[in-house]
Amino acid sequence: INFDFLLQGDKRARREDIAAADAEAARLAVLAIAWQVRGELHGALLDLQAASVREQMVSAQARLQDQLAALVTQRVEAGRASSSEAAMVRMTALRLHKDLADASTQVVAARSRLAGALGVPVNALSGQEFAAPPVPPFSAEALAAAQREALLSRADVLSALAKVQSAHAALELETARQQ
């Protein structure tokens, strides 16, 4: 009597296990990529916000330094200040204008990174204002719980585990074939 038909059902179940584990690994890989894109977008928004704030602060500082330079120049013309004092103030103003140009370059670079994270051309963002993403307050306990949950439910880790399950099921199938 031949009982091979019983082994065929067992092999089919193992093949189904392999397919299910592969499908789960693929689903989790897509989820991991989605989280990666979300993280890149979040980082790009934060970079843009930081660069914009720096540009605003340096711009205000440069305007004030320009006003101070004009006042010191008036004092030099009136004979109340030395030309070296005016030169120092003008040098500071020039340094601030250089810093402002650098800050503006950082804003352009941050907008470019944001456009890349969104998958749109940079000119699609022209005229758009972006607010910094909200950062919820965390207690030490809540932060520790969130970190633990993140480690246990990371999509890339779960995808790797599903691939291991698939490989294990394939190994069981091969073992059953050889018996």
Side-chain angles (χ1 to χ4, degrees), residues 48 51 55 101-114 122:
L48 179 59
E55 181 184 39
D102 290 345
S104 296
T105 301
Q106 288 176 353
V107 168
V108 170
R111 284 182 94 66
S112 176
R113 182 173 173 223
L114 179 61
V122 176

Side-chain angles (χ1 to χ4, degrees), residues 3-178:
F3 292 106
D4 284 347
F5 68 94
L6 292 175
L7 291 176
Q8 292 298 330
D10 191 38
K11 288 179 185 178
R12 174 182 235 158
R14 288 193 174 121
R15 285 189 191 110
E16 289 173 356
D17 290 345
I18 292 170
D22 285 344
E24 181 67 7
R27 185 186 72 79
L28 291 169
V30 168
L31 186 61
I33 291 170
W35 273 101
Q36 182 181 9
V37 168
R38 181 184 179 280
E40 289 174 10
L41 179 61
H42 189 263
L45 281 169
L46 287 175
D47 287 349
L48 179 59
Q49 181 68 24
S52 296
V53 167
R54 182 174 184 271
E55 181 184 39
Q56 292 169 1
M57 291 173 60
V58 172
S59 176
Q61 199 174 12
R63 276 192 311 274
L64 291 173
Q65 192 66 31
D66 287 342
Q67 291 172 1
L68 181 61
L71 291 174
V72 170
T73 301
Q74 289 175 358
R75 289 186 64 205
V76 168
E77 290 171 358
R80 295 188 198 162
S82 68
S83 59
S84 63
E85 192 177 338
M88 286 181 18
V89 172
R90 281 193 304 269
M91 283 179 33
T92 302
L94 289 173
R95 182 185 51 79
L96 284 170
H97 283 283
K98 179 208 161 289
D99 291 348
L100 180 58
D102 290 345
S104 296
T105 301
Q106 288 176 353
V107 168
V108 170
R111 284 182 94 66
S112 176
R113 182 173 173 223
L114 179 61
L118 290 171
V120 299
V122 176
N123 60 1
L125 300 181
S126 63
Q128 300 293 322
E129 293 297 321
F130 298 95
V135 179
F138 276 112
S139 65
E141 297 84 24
L143 184 59
Q147 287 173 337
R148 184 177 189 290
E149 181 64 26
L151 287 174
L152 295 176
S153 62
R154 280 184 50 167
D156 56 342
V157 173
L158 294 176
S159 175
L161 287 174
K163 287 178 185 176
V164 167
Q165 286 177 335
S166 172
H168 183 69
L171 179 64
E172 287 181 353
L173 177 63
E174 189 59 34
T175 304
R177 259 192 215 147
Q178 292 178 1

